[in-house]
Amino acid sequence: MALSTGIIKIKTAVFISGNGSNLKSLIKFSKLKKSPISINLIVSDNHKAKGLDYGKIYKIKKKIFNFRNKNLTEKKIISELKINKIEFICLAGFMKIISKNFIKKFSGKIINIHPSLLPKYKGLNTHQRAIENNEKFSGCTVHFVTSILDSGKIILQKKVKINKNDTSKKLAKRVLLEEHKIYPKAILKIFSF
Ligand code: GRF
């Protein structure tokens, strides 16, 4: 990937909409010597996102955008990314679908974490659907973002066993713990040449 590495870390923005537990795990990872990324900006579409607290705790700049006019909002986000010299984007529970145009501008530089074993169960309610279909496993996937939802090249996956009396809530909790591990691992994988 044609991004700058070495002593200077790759300036990264994390996009969130909710709890931000993946954001927290990425921030912790970014502080390790082995991390190729630094987290310089948190972007959210939701001013009530709990994860925004991590911006305060870890002193990371945060920007909240309302998506009433998607086109205009994306332009504002792109300008903010430029101001902060952002080279890489991690989507972590970001609930807005990013436009083709935006993705093109950051082609190959946006990744996402999804709570299923893609290509199975794209979209929402992944755990519920996996349980209803009597799947033996659910899991999580880190993948590159393309203009087709949850369909870009897979970087890393982790399987999680579905137990007999699992509820989507219980399963989601166990999968989330694995998400916190594979997101940093996927980043290491991308940037290790
Ligand atoms: C995670 O399950 C992630 O895979 C999905 O949204 C959830 C976000 O959780 N895209 P959090 O905000 O990181 O706690």
Side-chain angles (χ1 to χ4, degrees), residues 113-168:
I113 186 144
H114 183 77
S116 82
L117 294 172
L118 290 174
K120 281 190 167 179
Y121 306 111
K122 297 172 183 176
L124 299 174
N125 303 322
T126 54
H127 301 310
Q128 189 57 40
R129 287 188 281 144
I131 291 170
E132 280 166 11
N133 283 343
N134 294 317
E135 297 279 3
K136 287 196 168 61
F137 293 95
S138 185
C140 44
T141 304
V142 180
H143 65 94
F144 284 104
V145 172
T146 61
S147 57
I148 305 163
L149 185 72
D150 298 330
S151 298
K153 190 177 167 218
I154 290 170
I155 304 156
L156 213 59
Q157 287 188 308
K158 175 76 187 179
K159 270 188 188 175
V160 174
K161 199 176 175 305
I162 299 181
N163 298 330
K164 234 184 168 187
N165 295 316
D166 245 340
T167 60
S168 61

Short mmCIF file of all heavy atoms in Angstrom, two decimals, residues 113-168:
data_model
loop_
_atom_site.label_atom_id
_atom_site.label_comp_id
_atom_site.label_asym_id
_atom_site.label_seq_id
_atom_site.Cartn_x
_atom_site.Cartn_y
_atom_site.Cartn_z
N ILE A 113 -14.99 -2.86 10.15
CA ILE A 113 -15.18 -4.12 10.87
C ILE A 113 -16.67 -4.45 10.85
O ILE A 113 -17.51 -3.59 11.09
CB ILE A 113 -14.60 -4.09 12.30
CG1 ILE A 113 -14.69 -5.46 12.94
CG2 ILE A 113 -15.27 -3.03 13.17
CD1 ILE A 113 -13.55 -5.84 13.83
N HIS A 114 -16.95 -5.71 10.54
CA HIS A 114 -18.35 -6.14 10.40
C HIS A 114 -18.58 -7.38 11.26
O HIS A 114 -17.79 -8.32 11.23
CB HIS A 114 -18.64 -6.45 8.92
CG HIS A 114 -20.06 -6.81 8.68
ND1 HIS A 114 -21.07 -5.88 8.64
CD2 HIS A 114 -20.66 -8.02 8.51
CE1 HIS A 114 -22.22 -6.49 8.44
NE2 HIS A 114 -22.01 -7.79 8.36
N PRO A 115 -19.71 -7.40 12.00
CA PRO A 115 -19.92 -8.53 12.92
C PRO A 115 -20.56 -9.76 12.28
O PRO A 115 -21.62 -10.22 12.69
CB PRO A 115 -20.84 -7.92 13.98
CG PRO A 115 -21.61 -6.88 13.25
CD PRO A 115 -20.72 -6.35 12.16
N SER A 116 -19.90 -10.29 11.25
CA SER A 116 -20.31 -11.58 10.69
C SER A 116 -19.13 -12.15 9.93
O SER A 116 -18.14 -11.45 9.70
CB SER A 116 -21.50 -11.43 9.73
OG SER A 116 -21.06 -11.02 8.45
N LEU A 117 -19.30 -13.40 9.54
CA LEU A 117 -18.26 -14.01 8.70
C LEU A 117 -18.62 -13.71 7.26
O LEU A 117 -19.27 -14.50 6.58
CB LEU A 117 -18.20 -15.52 8.96
CG LEU A 117 -17.73 -15.93 10.36
CD1 LEU A 117 -17.90 -17.43 10.58
CD2 LEU A 117 -16.27 -15.52 10.60
N LEU A 118 -18.23 -12.53 6.78
CA LEU A 118 -18.54 -12.16 5.40
C LEU A 118 -17.97 -13.21 4.45
O LEU A 118 -16.96 -13.82 4.78
CB LEU A 118 -17.94 -10.78 5.10
CG LEU A 118 -18.63 -9.59 5.81
CD1 LEU A 118 -17.86 -8.30 5.55
CD2 LEU A 118 -20.08 -9.44 5.35
N PRO A 119 -18.59 -13.50 3.33
CA PRO A 119 -19.70 -12.77 2.71
C PRO A 119 -21.07 -13.08 3.29
O PRO A 119 -22.07 -12.57 2.78
CB PRO A 119 -19.62 -13.19 1.24
CG PRO A 119 -19.04 -14.56 1.27
CD PRO A 119 -18.08 -14.56 2.44
N LYS A 120 -21.11 -13.88 4.35
CA LYS A 120 -22.42 -14.16 4.96
C LYS A 120 -22.88 -12.97 5.80
O LYS A 120 -22.08 -12.33 6.45
CB LYS A 120 -22.32 -15.38 5.87
CG LYS A 120 -22.33 -16.69 5.11
CD LYS A 120 -22.49 -17.85 6.07
CE LYS A 120 -22.82 -19.11 5.31
NZ LYS A 120 -22.95 -20.26 6.19
N TYR A 121 -24.15 -12.73 5.80
CA TYR A 121 -24.80 -11.75 6.67
C TYR A 121 -24.23 -10.33 6.56
O TYR A 121 -23.69 -9.79 7.52
CB TYR A 121 -24.79 -12.23 8.13
CG TYR A 121 -25.40 -13.60 8.25
CD1 TYR A 121 -24.61 -14.70 8.57
CD2 TYR A 121 -26.75 -13.81 8.00
CE1 TYR A 121 -25.15 -15.98 8.64
CE2 TYR A 121 -27.29 -15.08 8.05
CZ TYR A 121 -26.50 -16.15 8.38
OH TYR A 121 -27.03 -17.40 8.43
N LYS A 122 -24.35 -9.81 5.35
CA LYS A 122 -24.03 -8.38 5.18
C LYS A 122 -25.15 -7.58 5.83
O LYS A 122 -26.24 -8.10 6.03
CB LYS A 122 -23.96 -8.06 3.69
CG LYS A 122 -22.84 -8.82 3.00
CD LYS A 122 -22.89 -8.67 1.50
CE LYS A 122 -21.79 -9.51 0.89
NZ LYS A 122 -21.80 -9.52 -0.56
N GLY A 123 -24.91 -6.33 6.11
CA GLY A 123 -25.97 -5.47 6.65
C GLY A 123 -26.15 -5.62 8.14
O GLY A 123 -25.21 -5.95 8.86
N LEU A 124 -27.40 -5.39 8.59
CA LEU A 124 -27.67 -5.31 10.03
C LEU A 124 -28.18 -6.64 10.61
O LEU A 124 -28.43 -7.60 9.88
CB LEU A 124 -28.69 -4.20 10.30
CG LEU A 124 -28.25 -2.78 9.89
CD1 LEU A 124 -29.39 -1.80 10.07
CD2 LEU A 124 -27.02 -2.32 10.67
N ASN A 125 -28.34 -6.67 11.94
CA ASN A 125 -28.89 -7.82 12.67
C ASN A 125 -28.21 -9.14 12.33
O ASN A 125 -28.86 -10.18 12.18
CB ASN A 125 -30.41 -7.97 12.42
CG ASN A 125 -31.14 -6.71 12.80
OD1 ASN A 125 -30.80 -6.07 13.80
ND2 ASN A 125 -32.11 -6.31 12.00
N THR A 126 -26.93 -9.09 12.20
CA THR A 126 -26.18 -10.25 11.72
C THR A 126 -26.30 -11.45 12.66
O THR A 126 -26.51 -12.58 12.21
CB THR A 126 -24.69 -9.88 11.59
OG1 THR A 126 -24.25 -9.34 12.84
CG2 THR A 126 -24.47 -8.86 10.50
N HIS A 127 -26.18 -11.20 13.98
CA HIS A 127 -26.17 -12.34 14.92
C HIS A 127 -27.54 -13.01 14.99
O HIS A 127 -27.63 -14.23 15.01
CB HIS A 127 -25.73 -11.86 16.31
CG HIS A 127 -24.37 -11.26 16.29
ND1 HIS A 127 -23.29 -11.89 15.70
CD2 HIS A 127 -23.90 -10.09 16.75
CE1 HIS A 127 -22.23 -11.13 15.81
NE2 HIS A 127 -22.57 -10.03 16.44
N GLN A 128 -28.60 -12.18 15.00
CA GLN A 128 -29.95 -12.73 15.03
C GLN A 128 -30.18 -13.64 13.81
O GLN A 128 -30.68 -14.76 13.93
CB GLN A 128 -30.96 -11.57 15.04
CG GLN A 128 -32.40 -12.00 15.28
CD GLN A 128 -32.56 -12.76 16.60
OE1 GLN A 128 -31.94 -12.40 17.60
NE2 GLN A 128 -33.32 -13.83 16.58
N ARG A 129 -29.76 -13.15 12.67
CA ARG A 129 -29.98 -13.93 11.44
C ARG A 129 -29.16 -15.22 11.45
O ARG A 129 -29.64 -16.28 11.02
CB ARG A 129 -29.63 -13.08 10.21
CG ARG A 129 -30.68 -12.00 9.94
CD ARG A 129 -30.43 -11.31 8.63
NE ARG A 129 -29.38 -10.32 8.71
CZ ARG A 129 -28.51 -10.06 7.74
NH1 ARG A 129 -28.54 -10.74 6.59
NH2 ARG A 129 -27.60 -9.14 7.88
N ALA A 130 -27.94 -15.14 11.98
CA ALA A 130 -27.09 -16.35 12.05
C ALA A 130 -27.72 -17.39 12.98
O ALA A 130 -27.75 -18.59 12.66
CB ALA A 130 -25.69 -15.97 12.51
N ILE A 131 -28.25 -16.92 14.12
CA ILE A 131 -28.88 -17.85 15.07
C ILE A 131 -30.13 -18.48 14.44
O ILE A 131 -30.32 -19.70 14.48
CB ILE A 131 -29.23 -17.12 16.40
CG1 ILE A 131 -27.96 -16.75 17.16
CG2 ILE A 131 -30.14 -17.98 17.28
CD1 ILE A 131 -28.16 -15.81 18.36
N GLU A 132 -30.96 -17.64 13.82
CA GLU A 132 -32.19 -18.15 13.20
C GLU A 132 -31.90 -19.16 12.10
O GLU A 132 -32.69 -20.08 11.86
CB GLU A 132 -33.02 -16.99 12.64
CG GLU A 132 -33.82 -16.28 13.72
CD GLU A 132 -34.38 -14.94 13.28
OE1 GLU A 132 -34.34 -14.62 12.07
OE2 GLU A 132 -34.85 -14.20 14.18
N ASN A 133 -30.78 -19.00 11.45
CA ASN A 133 -30.43 -19.95 10.37
C ASN A 133 -29.68 -21.17 10.88
O ASN A 133 -29.12 -21.94 10.09
CB ASN A 133 -29.57 -19.25 9.31
CG ASN A 133 -30.40 -18.38 8.41
OD1 ASN A 133 -31.62 -18.51 8.35
ND2 ASN A 133 -29.76 -17.50 7.68
N ASN A 134 -29.65 -21.32 12.22
CA ASN A 134 -28.97 -22.45 12.85
C ASN A 134 -27.50 -22.60 12.44
O ASN A 134 -27.00 -23.72 12.27
CB ASN A 134 -29.70 -23.77 12.54
CG ASN A 134 -31.06 -23.78 13.18
OD1 ASN A 134 -31.21 -23.38 14.35
ND2 ASN A 134 -32.07 -24.21 12.43
N GLU A 135 -26.85 -21.48 12.25
CA GLU A 135 -25.41 -21.54 11.93
C GLU A 135 -24.65 -22.06 13.16
O GLU A 135 -25.06 -21.82 14.30
CB GLU A 135 -24.90 -20.12 11.61
CG GLU A 135 -25.51 -19.47 10.42
CD GLU A 135 -24.91 -19.93 9.09
OE1 GLU A 135 -24.03 -20.81 9.09
OE2 GLU A 135 -25.36 -19.42 8.06
N LYS A 136 -23.55 -22.74 12.89
CA LYS A 136 -22.73 -23.21 14.02
C LYS A 136 -21.79 -22.11 14.50
O LYS A 136 -21.37 -22.07 15.64
CB LYS A 136 -21.91 -24.42 13.59
CG LYS A 136 -22.76 -25.67 13.43
CD LYS A 136 -21.87 -26.90 13.39
CE LYS A 136 -22.67 -28.18 13.54
NZ LYS A 136 -23.64 -28.37 12.45
N PHE A 137 -21.45 -21.22 13.57
CA PHE A 137 -20.50 -20.14 13.88
C PHE A 137 -21.02 -18.78 13.42
O PHE A 137 -21.67 -18.68 12.40
CB PHE A 137 -19.16 -20.38 13.20
CG PHE A 137 -18.42 -21.57 13.73
CD1 PHE A 137 -18.53 -22.81 13.11
CD2 PHE A 137 -17.63 -21.46 14.87
CE1 PHE A 137 -17.87 -23.92 13.61
CE2 PHE A 137 -16.96 -22.56 15.37
CZ PHE A 137 -17.08 -23.80 14.74
N SER A 138 -20.68 -17.79 14.22
CA SER A 138 -20.78 -16.41 13.74
C SER A 138 -19.35 -15.89 13.77
O SER A 138 -18.41 -16.70 13.77
CB SER A 138 -21.69 -15.59 14.64
OG SER A 138 -21.86 -14.31 14.09
N GLY A 139 -19.17 -14.58 13.85
CA GLY A 139 -17.80 -14.08 13.92
C GLY A 139 -17.71 -12.66 13.45
O GLY A 139 -18.71 -11.93 13.44
N CYS A 140 -16.51 -12.27 13.05
CA CYS A 140 -16.31 -10.89 12.61
C CYS A 140 -15.27 -10.84 11.49
O CYS A 140 -14.44 -11.75 11.37
CB CYS A 140 -15.92 -9.99 13.77
SG CYS A 140 -14.68 -10.70 14.88
N THR A 141 -15.35 -9.77 10.73
CA THR A 141 -14.49 -9.62 9.55
C THR A 141 -13.99 -8.18 9.46
O THR A 141 -14.78 -7.24 9.62
CB THR A 141 -15.32 -9.89 8.26
OG1 THR A 141 -15.91 -11.18 8.35
CG2 THR A 141 -14.46 -9.80 7.01
N VAL A 142 -12.71 -8.03 9.17
CA VAL A 142 -12.18 -6.72 8.81
C VAL A 142 -11.96 -6.74 7.30
O VAL A 142 -11.36 -7.68 6.77
CB VAL A 142 -10.87 -6.38 9.55
CG1 VAL A 142 -10.37 -4.99 9.14
CG2 VAL A 142 -11.08 -6.44 11.06
N HIS A 143 -12.47 -5.73 6.62
CA HIS A 143 -12.39 -5.74 5.15
C HIS A 143 -12.18 -4.32 4.61
O HIS A 143 -12.49 -3.34 5.29
CB HIS A 143 -13.67 -6.35 4.56
CG HIS A 143 -14.90 -5.53 4.83
ND1 HIS A 143 -15.39 -4.59 3.95
CD2 HIS A 143 -15.73 -5.48 5.91
CE1 HIS A 143 -16.47 -4.03 4.48
NE2 HIS A 143 -16.70 -4.54 5.66
N PHE A 144 -11.67 -4.27 3.39
CA PHE A 144 -11.56 -2.97 2.71
C PHE A 144 -12.96 -2.52 2.31
O PHE A 144 -13.82 -3.36 2.01
CB PHE A 144 -10.67 -3.08 1.46
CG PHE A 144 -9.20 -3.15 1.80
CD1 PHE A 144 -8.51 -4.34 1.75
CD2 PHE A 144 -8.53 -2.00 2.19
CE1 PHE A 144 -7.16 -4.40 2.08
CE2 PHE A 144 -7.17 -2.05 2.52
CZ PHE A 144 -6.49 -3.24 2.47
N VAL A 145 -13.16 -1.22 2.32
CA VAL A 145 -14.47 -0.67 1.96
C VAL A 145 -14.49 -0.33 0.47
O VAL A 145 -13.60 0.36 -0.03
CB VAL A 145 -14.79 0.58 2.81
CG1 VAL A 145 -16.05 1.27 2.32
CG2 VAL A 145 -14.93 0.17 4.27
N THR A 146 -15.50 -0.87 -0.20
CA THR A 146 -15.73 -0.52 -1.61
C THR A 146 -17.15 0.04 -1.69
O THR A 146 -17.86 0.09 -0.69
CB THR A 146 -15.62 -1.76 -2.53
OG1 THR A 146 -16.62 -2.70 -2.12
CG2 THR A 146 -14.25 -2.41 -2.44
N SER A 147 -17.55 0.38 -2.93
CA SER A 147 -18.88 1.00 -3.05
C SER A 147 -20.01 -0.01 -2.87
O SER A 147 -21.16 0.37 -2.76
CB SER A 147 -19.00 1.72 -4.38
OG SER A 147 -18.74 0.81 -5.40
N ILE A 148 -19.68 -1.28 -2.82
CA ILE A 148 -20.74 -2.28 -2.56
C ILE A 148 -20.67 -2.67 -1.09
O ILE A 148 -19.62 -3.10 -0.59
CB ILE A 148 -20.59 -3.51 -3.48
CG1 ILE A 148 -20.57 -3.05 -4.94
CG2 ILE A 148 -21.74 -4.50 -3.26
CD1 ILE A 148 -20.05 -4.08 -5.91
N LEU A 149 -21.79 -2.51 -0.40
CA LEU A 149 -21.84 -2.67 1.06
C LEU A 149 -21.28 -4.01 1.54
O LEU A 149 -21.69 -5.07 1.07
CB LEU A 149 -23.31 -2.53 1.53
CG LEU A 149 -23.50 -2.54 3.04
CD1 LEU A 149 -23.00 -1.25 3.66
CD2 LEU A 149 -24.97 -2.77 3.39
N ASP A 150 -20.34 -3.94 2.48
CA ASP A 150 -19.76 -5.11 3.15
C ASP A 150 -19.19 -6.14 2.17
O ASP A 150 -19.29 -7.35 2.41
CB ASP A 150 -20.81 -5.77 4.07
CG ASP A 150 -21.28 -4.85 5.17
OD1 ASP A 150 -20.49 -3.99 5.61
OD2 ASP A 150 -22.44 -4.97 5.60
N SER A 151 -18.64 -5.65 1.05
CA SER A 151 -18.20 -6.59 0.01
C SER A 151 -16.74 -6.47 -0.40
O SER A 151 -16.29 -7.23 -1.26
CB SER A 151 -19.07 -6.41 -1.23
OG SER A 151 -20.40 -6.69 -0.92
N GLY A 152 -16.00 -5.55 0.19
CA GLY A 152 -14.60 -5.38 -0.22
C GLY A 152 -13.72 -6.54 0.23
O GLY A 152 -14.14 -7.41 1.00
N LYS A 153 -12.49 -6.52 -0.24
CA LYS A 153 -11.54 -7.61 0.04
C LYS A 153 -11.39 -7.84 1.55
O LYS A 153 -11.20 -6.90 2.32
CB LYS A 153 -10.19 -7.22 -0.57
CG LYS A 153 -9.19 -8.34 -0.55
CD LYS A 153 -7.90 -7.92 -1.25
CE LYS A 153 -6.86 -8.95 -0.93
NZ LYS A 153 -5.53 -8.39 -0.72
N ILE A 154 -11.45 -9.12 1.91
CA ILE A 154 -11.35 -9.47 3.33
C ILE A 154 -9.88 -9.44 3.77
O ILE A 154 -9.01 -10.00 3.10
CB ILE A 154 -11.99 -10.85 3.57
CG1 ILE A 154 -13.52 -10.74 3.40
CG2 ILE A 154 -11.64 -11.39 4.97
CD1 ILE A 154 -14.25 -12.05 3.37
N ILE A 155 -9.64 -8.80 4.92
CA ILE A 155 -8.28 -8.73 5.46
C ILE A 155 -8.10 -9.80 6.53
O ILE A 155 -7.10 -10.53 6.53
CB ILE A 155 -8.00 -7.32 6.04
CG1 ILE A 155 -8.24 -6.25 4.98
CG2 ILE A 155 -6.57 -7.22 6.58
CD1 ILE A 155 -8.56 -4.88 5.53
N LEU A 156 -9.06 -9.90 7.41
CA LEU A 156 -8.96 -10.88 8.51
C LEU A 156 -10.35 -11.25 9.03
O LEU A 156 -11.24 -10.39 9.06
CB LEU A 156 -8.15 -10.26 9.65
CG LEU A 156 -7.27 -11.17 10.49
CD1 LEU A 156 -6.24 -11.90 9.66
CD2 LEU A 156 -6.56 -10.35 11.58
N GLN A 157 -10.48 -12.50 9.45
CA GLN A 157 -11.75 -12.94 10.04
C GLN A 157 -11.49 -13.75 11.29
O GLN A 157 -10.43 -14.37 11.42
CB GLN A 157 -12.50 -13.86 9.07
CG GLN A 157 -13.10 -13.13 7.90
CD GLN A 157 -13.99 -14.00 7.06
OE1 GLN A 157 -13.56 -15.08 6.64
NE2 GLN A 157 -15.19 -13.54 6.78
N LYS A 158 -12.46 -13.77 12.19
CA LYS A 158 -12.37 -14.63 13.36
C LYS A 158 -13.74 -15.30 13.58
O LYS A 158 -14.77 -14.62 13.63
CB LYS A 158 -11.97 -13.78 14.57
CG LYS A 158 -11.94 -14.52 15.87
CD LYS A 158 -10.74 -15.41 16.02
CE LYS A 158 -10.87 -16.25 17.28
NZ LYS A 158 -9.76 -17.16 17.48
N LYS A 159 -13.70 -16.61 13.69
CA LYS A 159 -14.94 -17.37 13.95
C LYS A 159 -15.27 -17.36 15.43
O LYS A 159 -14.37 -17.43 16.26
CB LYS A 159 -14.69 -18.83 13.59
CG LYS A 159 -14.99 -19.21 12.17
CD LYS A 159 -14.86 -20.74 12.09
CE LYS A 159 -14.96 -21.24 10.69
NZ LYS A 159 -14.72 -22.70 10.65
N VAL A 160 -16.54 -17.31 15.75
CA VAL A 160 -16.99 -17.44 17.14
C VAL A 160 -18.12 -18.46 17.16
O VAL A 160 -19.07 -18.37 16.37
CB VAL A 160 -17.50 -16.09 17.70
CG1 VAL A 160 -18.09 -16.25 19.09
CG2 VAL A 160 -16.36 -15.06 17.74
N LYS A 161 -18.00 -19.44 18.05
CA LYS A 161 -18.98 -20.53 18.09
C LYS A 161 -20.33 -20.02 18.61
O LYS A 161 -20.38 -19.23 19.55
CB LYS A 161 -18.45 -21.64 19.00
CG LYS A 161 -19.12 -22.95 18.78
CD LYS A 161 -18.47 -24.03 19.65
CE LYS A 161 -19.22 -25.33 19.53
NZ LYS A 161 -20.63 -25.25 19.82
N ILE A 162 -21.39 -20.48 17.97
CA ILE A 162 -22.72 -20.14 18.47
C ILE A 162 -23.15 -21.25 19.42
O ILE A 162 -23.15 -22.44 19.06
CB ILE A 162 -23.74 -19.99 17.31
CG1 ILE A 162 -23.30 -18.86 16.37
CG2 ILE A 162 -25.15 -19.74 17.86
CD1 ILE A 162 -24.23 -18.59 15.21
N ASN A 163 -23.47 -20.88 20.66
CA ASN A 163 -23.88 -21.88 21.65
C ASN A 163 -25.36 -22.21 21.50
O ASN A 163 -26.13 -21.47 20.88
CB ASN A 163 -23.62 -21.37 23.07
CG ASN A 163 -22.13 -21.11 23.30
OD1 ASN A 163 -21.27 -21.77 22.71
ND2 ASN A 163 -21.83 -20.12 24.12
N LYS A 164 -25.74 -23.34 22.11
CA LYS A 164 -27.10 -23.85 21.97
C LYS A 164 -28.18 -22.83 22.33
O LYS A 164 -29.10 -22.61 21.57
CB LYS A 164 -27.26 -25.10 22.85
CG LYS A 164 -27.76 -26.27 22.03
CD LYS A 164 -28.00 -27.46 22.88
CE LYS A 164 -28.79 -28.47 22.05
NZ LYS A 164 -29.20 -29.59 22.84
N ASN A 165 -28.03 -22.21 23.49
CA ASN A 165 -29.08 -21.27 23.91
C ASN A 165 -28.66 -19.82 23.75
O ASN A 165 -29.07 -18.96 24.52
CB ASN A 165 -29.47 -21.55 25.37
CG ASN A 165 -30.10 -22.91 25.49
OD1 ASN A 165 -30.94 -23.28 24.66
ND2 ASN A 165 -29.68 -23.70 26.47
N ASP A 166 -27.89 -19.57 22.72
CA ASP A 166 -27.39 -18.21 22.51
C ASP A 166 -28.51 -17.24 22.15
O ASP A 166 -29.46 -17.60 21.45
CB ASP A 166 -26.36 -18.20 21.37
CG ASP A 166 -24.99 -17.81 21.86
OD1 ASP A 166 -24.90 -17.21 22.95
OD2 ASP A 166 -24.00 -18.13 21.17
N THR A 167 -28.36 -16.02 22.65
CA THR A 167 -29.22 -14.93 22.17
C THR A 167 -28.31 -14.02 21.35
O THR A 167 -27.07 -14.09 21.50
CB THR A 167 -29.79 -14.12 23.35
OG1 THR A 167 -28.68 -13.57 24.07
CG2 THR A 167 -30.63 -14.98 24.27
N SER A 168 -28.91 -13.17 20.54
CA SER A 168 -28.06 -12.31 19.72
C SER A 168 -27.23 -11.38 20.62
O SER A 168 -26.10 -11.04 20.28
CB SER A 168 -28.90 -11.51 18.73
OG SER A 168 -29.80 -10.70 19.39
#
